[in-house]
Amino acid sequence: MNDPTRRILLGRVIGAFGVRGEAKIESWTEPREAIFRYQPWTLRDAAGNERELSGVRGKPQGKHLVATFPGVDDRNIIEAMVGTEIFVPRAALPPPRPDEFYWVDLEGLRVINADGRSFGTVSHLFSTGANDVLVARGDKERLIPFVQPEFVTRVDFEAGEIGVDWDPDF
């Protein structure tokens, strides 16, 4: 669950802002500005090239964040970075509070319904705006609303599984 070498995707560069080399950042942290607390960043471009970067500063701007990268003052450089993903080591994140967890820590756990039937393992989670959704992949892919305790009845890291109240045919 808590592999310190694992990297976590926290956001990406989505555009240039202004003419002085600032970047528009999409952040998936809560609150979104927290992304600047977790550095150094590993930036990975579409070709898979990676580089480490520290000292990024930023602020909220509308629905996104505006970031300044050290040594970058050219809009063209930022435009070339659009789509670049921002990763940090899992160990850089603070420990979750009791009864809380990071989505990434759920990936790979077995998903078992109330009748003991295995739905496979957690592939990933995503947010719909109305609720979060757990994606379990096994004999087929199941999308299970991550609503506790109605559909997700337990999360047991020691056993490596998540209990769900979900119809296997749905």
Side-chain angles (χ1 to χ4, degrees):
M1 167 184 96
N2 220 345
D3 179 358
T5 64
R6 186 171 189 182
R7 293 187 313 179
I8 309 303
L9 178 63
L10 293 186
R12 67 178 168 195
V13 177
I14 59 170
F17 183 83
V19 295
R20 291 180 290 199
E22 295 174 300
K24 283 173 47 175
I25 302 288
E26 180 178 25
S27 170
W28 299 305
T29 62
E30 185 60 44
R32 64 186 171 157
E33 304 86 40
I35 194 170
F36 298 112
R37 288 187 225 145
Y38 312 123
Q39 293 191 41
W41 289 356
T42 298
L43 302 177
R44 182 169 64 196
D45 66 21
N49 300 311
E50 295 183 352
R51 67 183 176 117
E52 193 171 282
L53 183 65
S54 293
V56 179
R57 300 179 67 199
K59 63 184 179 193
Q61 180 70 38
K63 295 190 303 184
H64 305 290
L65 300 170
V66 173
T68 304
F69 295 144
V72 177
D73 59 3
D74 184 341
R75 178 183 177 91
N76 294 328
I77 293 172
I78 297 299
E79 286 176 345
M81 292 178 65
V82 170
T84 296
E85 298 173 318
I86 302 166
F87 291 87
V88 299
R90 169 64 179 86
L93 303 176
R97 289 179 270 199
D99 297 324
E100 290 186 347
F101 36 80
Y102 290 108
W103 284 2
V104 70
D105 294 337
L106 302 176
E107 293 173 4
L109 296 181
R110 293 181 310 277
V111 180
I112 311 288
N113 79 349
D115 298 328
R117 179 157 177 201
S118 174
F119 289 169
T121 60
V122 176
S123 165
H124 62 284
L125 290 95
F126 64 91
S127 180
T128 65
N131 58 268
D132 300 328
V133 177
L134 179 145
V135 179
R137 290 193 178 141
D139 59 334
K140 66 180 187 176
E141 184 175 83
R142 292 180 175 83
L143 305 179
I144 304 168
F146 200 95
V147 178
Q148 293 179 293
E150 290 83 2
F151 303 121
V152 175
T153 57
R154 65 186 171 82
V155 175
D156 186 342
F157 287 109
E158 287 185 26
E161 61 186 37
I162 295 176
V164 297
D165 185 1
W166 197 252
D167 185 334
D169 296 323
F170 192 70

